[in-house]
Structure formats: C-alpha cells, structure tokens
Amino acid sequence: MKPSFIISVVLSLLCNTSFAQYFKYDHEISGYSLTPALATFSNPSGIATDASGNVYVADHDNRCIQKFSNDGVFILKIGTSANPEQQIIRPVAVAVDANGNMYVCEEISHSVMKYNASGDFVKRWGSALYVSGSADGEFNTPTSITVDASGNVFVADKLNNRIQKFTSNGVFVKKWGSLGNTNGKFGSPVGVTTDAVGNVYVADAGYDMIHKFSNDGVFIERWGVSGSADGELSAPESVSVDAFGNIFVADCGNYRIQKFTSAGVYIAKYGNQGTGELEFGTHENIAADGDGNIFISDKGNNRIQKITNSGVFVRKWGTLKGIENGQLNAPSDLEIDANGNIFVISQGDSMVRKFNSDGEFVTKWKVEYDIYKNLNGGIAVDASGNVYVTIGYHIQKYTNAGQFITAWGEFGYDNGQFRSAASLAVDDLGYIYVADSYSSNIQKFSSDGAFIKKWSTNLSPYAVTVDDFRNVIVSTAGAVITKYSSSGNFLIDWVSEGPAPMYWNMIRNYYSAALVTDSEGNIYAMSDYDSFVQKFSTNGTSMWTFGMPGIGDAQFNFGRALEFDQYGNLYVADTGNNRIQVFKPSTVDPDKPSTVDPDITTAYAKPVLVPSIIVYPNPSTGTFRVSADEKDIQSVTVFNVLGQKEVFTGLEISTQLKGLLIVEILTKNNNVITKKIIIQE
C-alpha cells in the first residue's frame, strides 16, 4: 500500500508561549491516515455507549476520545488541548451519562476528567496530577468508570483495590473494597458497570471473577474460577450489562466474550484469538447499547467490532497497523542514506522498511534474532549504504537492499558485549558507536564489528549521534546531553531542560529519546515523554523548541528518532502515531509571501529566541529557584491543576501548592515562559 502524503500550510504551533517553531510541515510517511473520519485507532482501551446508541472510544495512544454513530460514522473527537489540565494524556476508560456528559478515566494521571456533550472540558478530580493517592477521592491507577441512571459515577481504583462512588460533579460519596479473596475484597478490580436498578458489577482480573454489589456497595454475590472451560475466566478486564440484564464479560486471557445471567449462570461464549471477524487481539473491552448490540474495543487489532446480543458479527471499523508494506508499527528509529532513501525500524514487528526520497515504499526485511522483536531497535547507514541495526544485545549488518551480511554481540559486560544496545551511529570513516543503556557505556567498533574502545557515560545512554566533526553526542537519563571526542574524551555536557516529564514514576529517568546534528554542529534533541523537539548550539545553549502532544500535523506521540536528509529536511519518527513526519527549515521572510512553492500558501511565525530558563531543583519540596537574571524578569506565577495560584516578584520561590505545578515566568519584554515542576508532598 502506498503511504499517504499530506502537503499542508505551515503551522505556527508553539510548545509554549515563549518558543516559535522554525519548521514548515512538509509531508507524512504513514502507516495510515490519522483523519478521524477514517476511524483509525492506536490501542483503543475503553468503550461506552449513550442512550442514542452512539459509541465512544478511549483512544489510548492517540490521547483522545472519539465518538461515532452506532454504525461507526465519526462524529466528534475530544481531549486535545495545550492546557495540561484539559489535555487527555492516556485514557483507559470512558463513560457517558443521560445528558451526554463524558467521563474519562486516566490511570497515568490518577484522575477523572468530565466533558459536556459538546466536548467542552468541565473539570478534573482525583489525586494531584500524576501523583497517586489513597485518601477518599484519590486514585492509584484507576482503570474503569461507569455512570448509573441517577448520575452517580463509579471508578475502579485498581491499585487501591477498591471501588469509589462520586456525584456527577466529582464529590466523593463512599468507597468499598480492599486486597483479599473474600466477599467484598478484590485482587485487581479493573472493570466496573451498573445495571438498570443500580447494582454494581466488578471485573476482578486478579482472582478471575465477577463481583456484584448493591448501589451502596453491599456485597451480593460473586462468581468465576480460573480456567478456559465454559463459565471459567482468565484475566477478565471489562464487564457490561445489556438492556435485558445479561452480563457480558471480556474474558481477555481466553480471547473471547462470555455471556451470563445477572446471577452469574453461564449462557454462551463468542470469539477466539486472531484478526478476523469475531477474533480478538489483546485486552478487549465491551459496552452494550439499548438495543442489545455489543461493541468490543479490540485493542490488539486497533479496531471496534459490533456484534448482536446473540454473538452474530455485524461490522467492524478501525485500521490495523503494520500489515501493509508501507505501514509502520511503532517506528523506533530511522536513518537516511546519501541517496535520500529512508530506512525505518519498527519495534512493534522488528521490521526494517525502506522508502525512497519521496516516501514511496521500496522493500522491507525482518531483522535476525526474532526472539528480541519487542525491544527498541536503532538503525544507522554508512557511506557505502550498508545498514546497521541494534536489537536486544546484537548488532546486525545488511546491504542497502536488506541482504544479511554479519552480526556481532552477545549478552554480558565485557568488551563487545551488551545488556541493551539502545542506539547506534556511524561516522564518516565507517566507525560504529553503540549506546548500551543498561551497562551505561558507549562502545566503538569497526564496520565489521571489531571492538576498538569503550567508555562510561555514568548515566544510562538512550540515544547517540555523530556530528560532521566526529564528535559523539549522547543523551542519558536525567535529561543530560554529553559531547565526547571520537576517542571518548569528555568535552561538554548540559541538561536538556524543557517541559517536565509527564509521568511521576519516570521523572528521575527523564531523557531525550532522539538526537541528530546539522551541518553546523547544532544539536537537536527530542523528548518522547513531552513530544517536543529542542535545538541547542554546539556548546549546549538552548535555541528554540517546537511541537506538542497530539495526532495532528507537527504534533507527536512518543517521538523516538530524528534525522536530516541531504537537503536539510528534518524527519521525525512519530512512534505512537505510527508515522514519519517531515519538516523543512524556514528560509522564507515571515513578512513576505512564500517563493518556495507558489501552490502553497505559507505564513511563518517569527522566531522568538529567549534565554534558556530552568526551574530547579525539580522535583522540589516546595522551595525552588528560577535560573534567570533578576533584571530580565517581571514576575513568576505558580498554578496548580485546580486553578489556585501564587505570584512572586523574586526568583527564589517558596510555594504552599503541591503536586504538578505550572510556572509562568513573565519577562521584562512581556514574553511568557511556561515551565512545569513537581512539588512533593
């Protein structure tokens, strides 16, 4: 299948209010179009229906909720916003009340979000953003949500092993459950729903059973036993009730749907593992409409299936990734040869795909050592066109057409051994540099795999590149970028400070997932967590950033690789969106019409260069500093997710607010610089 190409007008997207982007969006090399009308998903995790039969999908990796008609026609998409409080990050479940209000469950941010029927943000509640909690109204990895006929909201609070009940406005009502295998206790509550009279049903993946409670949490009964026979369960992750009171369970470990009476008596089963009709990938979720139709979010196959109450297949919509020649399945790295050919390695299927300079598919091949197929892969091309691939603790070498040449490496700590070869680069002399993230070192080899040298990076390296002056640039944990000589001698290092990492449990391992240099030696780094590209001078001075999370043009979803071609176009491996995006450096006067392409209307935002300002330490216990000159700053304002704020006139900040905070720095020339910081309890 020939990949889609999109030529669009220039976007003036800002990562924050202080940085303007330098690049014009050019085109996309994609496994599928991301136009919502074409119903594309990336790990659809939750599903719900409303009173009119509309279907709502929690599109996990695309960071949004999509709404469709009962027949799969696209209606609405919600949750994409530059405001951190309103942006959906990783939705796992969705529910809809009688008025069409939508409730979104986010396990990563440990919160619930509410939107009205038009898709406008209403409020968020739960723990401090990205910080788990166990107090009343707080969450630790909430995984499922439902609304009863009275508008009460029930949340499966997975790691707290409980169900919490709220009003429609997020006011805590009550809770029940704890860890255990007795009545009223759970092993891992991951699914929740209610029936017409308000009874609450909970799917317990830990103990392979379904629990039934009254609306106020009084235990009624439970059923289920581990196994694959009729009525037995394996990792049930979702439960739904149809209009007739039948209970449908997503029996994920057995790749099927099972149907029970409201008392838990087995009735029927539907489906098995696969990609066909009534076949499922991993982690299916289910929802029933008022007519008894059953909708299944088939996460492993990136699609929705609709069946009747009796298990007859009706239709499906959504696309599979990585099936056609030109499709991509989680691209983790890319490289461009001297002729402009583009080589992409996909961690989802351990496949290398070759495209020509126009993005047209040429060939593909499977990397050796299939056993390591799910590990991140790096790719590099030497001056002769040979292709080098890292996967697991091996390096493989291929011709430009994909014929296998040789391989080297094995598991270990010695010279020529790797624990996890995360990235590699080739210099103009053909020397290979490999970043071993687990062993915290860089190893240098000849083009045939002969070991030459090794040096420590202290912190775990995740990306490596070589500039035109044969300097080796490495990104490590802690967001540190270090420059070495080709012999491993330390030259300079700096912190790649940008938007703070989204995930609290990863904050100390925050890193730039991709590095590349231009012909002048400037360094470009990409953070996969925050989905932005940052440019540094040769001495590490921050110059600008662009990009933001999302599925649109110049938006990214876990970007993992950067590369320039011979014309200076920048290629970005947009991993979570299963595509490559291409940008052209802006050479057009922003105040004059474009002369680059008369068929394209272009308008550029003027670059605004600001000092590289950081807030530190991050995380903090409440006191932190802004790294700026006092004479350049008017004020510093600190906000939390509830809208509470504190204003400071100095650069030494001592705040009473907790959790994830937004720091707005107003400069003397009225630029606003936005940062994020975690304030620990």
Side-chain angles (χ1 to χ4, degrees):
M1 181 180 77
K2 184 176 180 177
S4 63
F5 290 87
I6 304 170
I7 307 294
S8 77
V9 300
V10 174
L11 304 176
S12 298
L13 294 173
L14 303 179
C15 181
N16 54 51
T17 56
S18 60
F19 293 105
Q21 56 90 16
Y22 263 115
F23 287 94
K24 184 184 88 169
Y25 178 74
D26 189 15
H27 66 271
E28 172 186 319
I29 302 172
S30 168
Y32 48 82
S33 169
L34 289 171
T35 305
L38 299 180
T40 58
F41 306 108
S42 187
N43 290 331
S45 298
I47 193 165
T49 60
D50 63 18
S52 301
N54 298 309
V55 181
Y56 301 76
V57 181
D59 195 355
H60 184 274
D61 289 358
N62 284 330
R63 307 184 185 192
C64 65
I65 303 298
Q66 295 195 59
K67 178 181 177 181
F68 301 88
S69 73
N70 199 266
D71 293 327
V73 178
F74 174 81
I75 298 174
L76 179 70
K77 179 179 70 176
I78 68 167
T80 57
S81 172
N83 186 324
E85 184 184 7
Q86 302 179 18
Q87 170 66 52
I88 294 176
I89 303 302
R90 288 290 185 264
V92 293
V94 59
V96 187
D97 66 18
N99 297 317
N101 297 305
M102 293 165 276
Y103 303 82
V104 182
C105 193
E106 283 196 340
E107 61 180 0
I108 289 291
S109 67
H110 308 289
S111 61
V112 169
M113 306 172 71
K114 179 179 179 179
Y115 296 82
N116 64 22
S118 300
D120 302 317
F121 176 80
V122 177
K123 71 179 303 179
R124 179 192 291 268
W125 75 84
S127 310
L129 201 58
Y130 308 113
V131 180
S132 63
S134 58
D136 294 349
E138 296 181 341
F139 304 111
N140 188 351
T141 315
T143 56
S144 183
I145 191 167
T146 193
V147 185
D148 67 12
S150 301
N152 298 304
V153 179
F154 299 83
V155 180
D157 191 3
K158 177 182 176 181
L159 295 188
N160 284 324
N161 286 288
R162 65 187 182 183
I163 302 297
Q164 294 198 69
K165 179 179 179 179
F166 301 87
T167 68
S168 61
N169 292 320
V171 178
F172 174 82
V173 176
K174 73 179 305 173
K175 64 184 177 185
W176 68 88
S178 61
L179 179 63
N181 194 13
T182 58
N183 294 343
K185 296 184 177 183
F186 309 109
S188 182
V190 293
V192 63
T193 194
T194 60
D195 62 18
V197 297
N199 293 316
V200 181
Y201 299 81
V202 180
D204 187 348
Y207 292 125
D208 296 325
M209 63 177 56
I210 304 297
H211 304 255
K212 182 178 180 179
F213 301 88
S214 73
N215 198 263
D216 290 324
V218 178
F219 176 81
I220 298 175
E221 61 185 327
R222 62 179 186 168
W223 71 87
V225 63
S226 300
S228 58
D230 294 349
E232 296 179 344
L233 301 170
S234 176
E237 295 199 2
S238 180
V239 59
S240 186
V241 184
D242 70 8
F244 312 103
N246 300 303
I247 313 299
F248 290 82
V249 178
D251 187 11
C252 297
N254 292 318
Y255 301 94
R256 66 187 182 185
I257 306 298
Q258 291 202 70
K259 180 179 180 180
F260 300 87
T261 69
S262 60
V265 178
Y266 170 81
I267 299 175
K269 62 183 178 185
Y270 317 116
N272 50 57
Q273 186 177 12
T275 61
E277 298 176 357
L278 260 180
E279 294 180 338
F280 310 110
T282 58
H283 303 292
E284 61 268 22
N285 280 266
I286 53 177
D289 66 13
D291 297 323
N293 298 305
I294 309 301
F295 298 85
I296 304 125
S297 66
D298 187 2
K299 184 176 181 180
N301 290 321
N302 291 291
R303 65 185 180 183
I304 305 301
Q305 294 196 63
K306 177 181 178 180
I307 65 175
T308 67
N309 182 274
S310 58
V312 178
F313 175 83
V314 178
R315 64 173 44 88
K316 61 185 177 183
W317 66 91
T319 61
L320 297 170
K321 55 187 178 183
I323 300 298
E324 302 293 338
N325 286 336
Q327 292 184 320
L328 303 174
N329 191 339
S332 59
D333 202 2
L334 66 93
E335 184 78 356
I336 301 173
D337 68 14
N339 297 316
N341 297 305
I342 306 153
F343 298 84
V344 185
I345 184 170
S346 298
Q347 73 179 69
D349 56 8
S350 295
M351 193 75 69
V352 174
R353 290 174 173 85
K354 178 180 178 180
F355 302 85
N356 65 20
S357 59
D358 293 324
E360 297 170 330
F361 175 80
V362 177
T363 188
K364 65 179 179 182
W365 67 89
K366 193 83 169 179
V367 298
E368 300 290 325
Y369 309 106
D370 241 8
I371 187 174
Y372 308 110
K373 70 177 185 176
N374 290 320
L375 299 178
N376 289 343
I379 193 168
V381 183
D382 65 19
S384 300
N386 298 307
V387 180
Y388 302 82
V389 174
T390 70
I391 192 158
Y393 39 84
H394 295 281
I395 310 297
Q396 296 106 45
K397 181 179 180 180
Y398 300 86
T399 69
N400 199 267
Q403 283 83 37
F404 178 80
I405 299 174
T406 188
W408 69 90
E410 58 184 11
F411 183 83
Y413 298 87
D414 294 335
N415 298 340
Q417 297 180 334
F418 311 101
R419 294 185 63 205
S420 179
S423 176
L424 79 168
V426 185
D427 67 17
D428 62 327
L429 300 177
Y431 292 113
I432 316 297
Y433 303 84
V434 182
D436 188 346
S437 59
Y438 285 2
S439 295
S440 298
N441 63 45
I442 301 295
Q443 294 192 60
K444 181 178 179 179
F445 300 88
S446 72
S447 60
D448 294 326
F451 174 83
I452 297 175
K453 190 176 181 64
K454 177 171 68 178
W455 66 89
S456 173
T457 58
N458 296 320
L459 296 171
S460 299
Y462 293 99
V464 60
T465 192
V466 183
D467 65 18
D468 290 350
F469 311 98
R470 299 174 192 157
N471 298 308
V472 181
I473 298 96
V474 181
S475 75
T476 66
V480 176
I481 296 177
T482 307
K483 182 187 289 190
Y484 302 90
S485 72
S486 61
S487 300
N489 297 319
F490 171 85
L491 299 176
I492 190 176
D493 65 4
W494 66 91
V495 176
S496 172
E497 193 346 84
M502 291 177 177
Y503 309 133
W504 170 249
N505 64 347
M506 297 181 180
I507 191 168
R508 299 191 185 278
N509 292 318
Y510 180 48
Y511 65 94
S512 296
L515 291 172
V516 73
T517 60
D518 61 21
S519 59
E520 298 176 351
N522 299 306
I523 297 103
Y524 301 75
M526 186 167 196
S527 162
D528 66 346
Y529 295 150
D530 288 318
S531 301
F532 68 97
V533 178
Q534 190 167 10
K535 179 181 179 180
F536 301 92
S537 69
T538 57
N539 63 5
T541 301
S542 178
M543 301 176 71
W544 48 255
T545 63
F546 81 97
M548 63 177 63
I551 64 174
D553 299 344
Q555 297 179 344
F556 309 108
N557 187 357
F558 286 103
R560 292 288 172 81
L562 300 168
E563 182 66 21
F564 281 104
D565 65 14
Q566 67 267 45
Y567 306 109
N569 300 311
L570 180 65
Y571 292 67
V572 181
D574 189 4
T575 304
N577 288 326
N578 297 290
R579 63 183 179 179
I580 306 299
Q581 295 193 67
V582 186
F583 301 85
K584 290 184 176 180
S586 172
T587 58
V588 180
D589 186 330
D591 297 321
K592 296 179 181 180
S594 171
T595 58
V596 175
D597 188 341
D599 297 325
I600 302 174
T601 302
T602 61
Y604 291 90
K606 289 186 177 180
V608 179
L609 302 183
V610 300
S612 179
I613 295 178
I614 64 173
V615 292
Y616 67 96
N618 189 4
S620 165
T621 57
T623 300
F624 64 93
R625 179 173 175 80
V626 178
S627 69
D629 194 317
E630 196 85 37
K631 69 177 187 306
D632 296 328
I633 304 299
Q634 295 189 51
S635 64
V636 178
T637 304
V638 180
F639 300 87
N640 65 10
V641 297
L642 300 176
Q644 298 169 316
K645 68 178 181 179
E646 296 175 349
V647 182
F648 305 87
T649 55
L651 302 182
E652 295 286 347
I653 311 299
S654 183
T655 178
Q656 300 301 309
L657 303 177
K658 304 297 181 181
L660 177 68
L661 305 183
I662 306 300
V663 183
E664 281 192 357
I665 304 159
L666 179 63
T667 69
K668 288 293 177 65
N669 58 0
N670 292 318
N671 286 322
V672 178
I673 302 169
T674 303
K675 300 291 179 180
K676 299 180 215 173
I677 192 170
I678 297 287
I679 305 297
Q680 298 172 322
E681 300 290 340

